[in-house]
Amino acid sequence: MRPSPTRRTVLTATAAGAAALTATGTAEAADTSATRPPATAQRPGRELRALLREIDPARIEATVRELVSFGTRHTLSVQDDPARGIGAARDWLLAELNSRAAASGGRMTVELQSYVQEPAPRIPTPTKITNVVATLRGSVTPERVYVVSGHYDSRVTDVMDATSDAPGADDDASGVAVVLELARVMAKRRPASTIVFAAVAGEEQGLYGSAHLAQQLKAAGADVQGMFTNDIVGSATADDGTRDPYTVRLFTEGVPSSETPEQAALRRSVGGENDSATRQLARFVRDVADNDATGMRVRVIHRRDRYLRGGDHIPFLERGYPAARFTEPAEDFAHQHQDVRVDDSGKQYGDLPEFCDFAFTARVAKVNAAALWTLAQAPGTPKNARIITSNLTNSTLLTWQRGPEPDLAGYEVVWRETTAPEWTHVLPVGDATSHEVDLSKDNVFFGVRAVNRSGLRSPVAFPSPQS
């Protein structure tokens, strides 16, 4: 085991860093910190690189065009027409996921998860809402679950218009195409933990399908340690024509939506607004998916979602699950939530496939795949991480619960300055359940992550104070 650093060595390093900042200038230093991989970054291995090479832009395009072909997929549209409406899209998605499950050797199961939504905002009459869900059961720790989703319903300008053509190519056939492609490449593999691939309905009417999925998982006591929704991931072109084809945004909340008054009081007393489980999940995504294997930059946005908008990760956040939203780098609002039309100037409106960039969506799928596969193969996030506060000392004692993974190799303590966005120091501490660091808990933020024998690391657990 590597010995803990002393206060003297850390203070010396911190002073050197401050001197370098002064010498280089703040603008240059800020740019370097934004592009340099975090200290916790994990390079993709051979297995992951092979998986990412299988993701196919042509298959993603085919999925988007097939979903558009159903005319409208509005939640209130017809459900018993074999060629048009949300029912036809539902049945096609079921067949597609069943075809992927056929390659899994029985490890993947597919279901229609339906319920009747009683009248509610944007739901004028009782309406059946159906999620199409494929579950790839983990082979080692199946009780640990990760979820990836896209919504297959669509809309036009009037959110209650259930009959007009609503192609929904970018919003959100693109996200559903990511889910189907991930299911295809992962079905023939054996993840250690369980991955759920979901095409949900009712998003445009009020996140109804994802709320039902999240509640079903919560009622079952599922240990969901990460959830991603892909919503509007079909284009890299903004409304002014500028393009950013190698960036994807990841929206992540800080203060948890599920926080209790007691938890809020504790957070205010010690900090941690930037250290929710969702923020740790976002750091993990950057650690494993912002690299040459995906060809993408993950731009983490410290917001739950965009202004005036919301996505299918929110019901998961409200139930205490870490969840985040992938979205293209800059949206073109003429091609979402719009009637299909050409205005007097000749400008085309509507969410049509011709405005999608399928190579870009394939790279977004690679980011998802890198995150999900590494999460499923790595140890779980350490549970019951604590920072002991019973004594006033200038050192820090951390404790945590040992995980159940049979290939668990040990743990690492990480820390950073309270003003730093990323973890900057990593200290291996062996197969232990506690470690004391000769640094003051008052001055830095600490975390703990698990490591397995293959060298894969878990997301960081942010410790709660324990007196």
Side-chain angles (χ1 to χ4, degrees):
M1 183 188 305
R2 196 178 301 177
S4 293
T6 65
R7 275 191 294 279
R8 182 180 298 277
T9 59
V10 172
L11 289 173
T12 300
T14 302
L21 180 65
T22 303
T24 58
T26 56
E28 180 182 343
D31 182 67
T32 300
S33 66
T35 57
R36 184 177 60 240
T40 47
Q42 303 184 55
R43 293 296 301 163
R46 183 180 303 174
E47 177 188 52
L48 178 57
R49 287 181 181 274
L51 185 154
L52 298 181
R53 285 195 294 270
E54 293 182 24
I55 291 174
D56 185 355
R59 290 178 180 271
I60 286 172
E61 178 177 0
T63 294
V64 170
R65 293 190 180 279
E66 186 66 29
L67 287 170
V68 168
S69 75
F70 297 112
T72 179
R73 306 186 306 278
H74 194 283
T75 299
L76 305 177
S77 64
V78 62
Q79 297 200 23
D80 56 0
D81 187 313
R84 183 178 176 85
I86 195 166
R90 172 202 64 211
D91 294 345
W92 181 81
L93 288 167
L94 176 64
E96 286 296 297
L97 284 172
N98 273 323
S99 73
R100 285 147 176 77
S104 72
R107 295 183 302 279
M108 178 181 282
T109 57
V110 183
E111 63 175 323
L112 292 178
Q113 186 186 79
S114 298
Y115 80 104
V116 174
Q117 175 61 52
E118 295 301 323
R122 297 185 177 183
I123 304 288
T125 60
T127 301
K128 184 167 75 170
I129 292 178
T130 302
N131 300 325
V132 190
V133 181
T135 301
L136 181 59
R137 184 173 173 81
S139 59
V140 181
T141 49
E143 67 281 358
R144 177 155 46 100
V145 178
Y146 300 97
V147 180
V148 61
S149 79
H151 72 86
Y152 71 99
D153 59 306
S154 63
R155 60 165 287 188
V156 289
T157 305
D158 179 359
V159 72
M160 301 304 291
D161 180 351
T163 57
S164 297
D165 280 352
D170 191 2
D171 184 14
D172 184 36
S174 65
V176 175
V178 167
V179 172
L180 262 62
E181 186 65 358
L182 295 177
R184 183 185 71 84
V185 300
M186 292 184 183
K188 56 191 175 184
R189 291 174 163 86
R190 292 180 177 271
S193 298
T194 297
I195 304 175
V196 175
F197 307 87
V200 300
E203 192 271 351
E204 301 290 7
Q205 305 309 109
L207 312 180
Y208 289 105
S210 60
H212 182 69
L213 173 61
Q215 186 56 38
Q216 292 295 104
L217 289 163
K218 192 71 174 179
D223 183 18
V224 178
Q225 294 196 11
M227 183 272 181
F228 302 109
T229 189
N230 289 267
D231 195 351
I232 310 180
V233 293
S235 174
T237 304
D239 52 2
D240 63 356
T242 58
R243 286 178 47 76
D244 187 3
Y246 299 100
T247 299
V248 63
R249 290 183 291 173
L250 182 61
F251 284 87
T252 61
E253 74 171 12
V255 176
S257 296
S258 61
E259 187 177 69
T260 66
E262 294 76 17
Q263 290 167 335
L266 184 62
R267 172 182 50 76
R268 286 192 293 268
S269 71
V270 299
E273 292 81 1
N274 196 23
D275 282 283
S276 65
T278 294
R279 288 282 165 85
Q280 306 302 348
L281 184 65
R283 291 185 177 106
F284 180 91
V285 173
R286 189 177 171 215
D287 282 347
V288 302
D290 190 323
N291 52 48
D292 67 303
T294 66
M296 292 289 274
R297 171 188 173 229
V298 180
R299 182 179 182 183
V300 176
I301 308 293
H302 286 180
R303 286 194 174 99
R304 187 170 77 167
D305 212 317
R306 298 103 71 234
Y307 282 102
L308 304 177
R309 311 293 283 276
D312 287 319
H313 58 309
I314 292 176
F316 284 80
L317 292 169
E318 292 171 341
R319 288 158 179 80
Y321 294 132
R325 173 190 179 128
F326 286 110
T327 296
E328 61 200 28
E331 298 167 73
D332 186 341
F333 300 104
H335 303 309
Q336 54 178 267
H337 295 192
Q338 293 285 340
D339 294 338
V340 179
R341 68 192 189 279
V342 178
D343 70 8
D344 293 341
S345 69
K347 180 179 177 63
Q348 175 72 63
Y349 286 81
D351 192 354
L352 298 164
E354 64 202 68
F355 300 111
C356 290
D357 178 344
F358 301 111
F360 168 78
T361 306
R363 287 192 293 275
V364 174
K366 289 184 178 183
V367 170
N368 278 260
L372 282 165
W373 190 253
T374 309
L375 285 166
Q377 298 298 78
T381 306
K383 294 182 180 293
N384 297 319
R386 299 286 185 264
I387 189 165
I388 306 304
T389 61
S390 53
N391 295 315
L392 293 176
T393 70
N394 282 315
S395 63
T396 301
L397 177 61
L398 299 163
T399 67
W400 55 90
Q401 178 181 319
R402 192 181 191 279
E405 296 84 5
D407 63 343
L408 184 66
Y411 292 87
E412 294 174 339
V413 170
V414 301
W415 71 89
R416 70 181 199 277
E417 291 292 314
T418 60
T419 54
E422 304 281 356
W423 299 110
T424 54
H425 295 77
V426 180
L427 176 68
V429 299
D431 191 357
T433 56
S434 66
H435 190 81
E436 187 165 5
V437 184
D438 191 20
L439 293 172
S440 173
K441 53 189 165 291
D442 296 325
N443 297 340
V444 298
F445 284 136
F446 285 97
V448 181
R449 66 177 181 175
V451 187
N452 67 12
R453 288 195 291 268
S454 298
L456 296 177
R457 273 80 173 167
S458 74
V460 170
F462 187 68
S464 299
Q466 178 177 305
S467 59

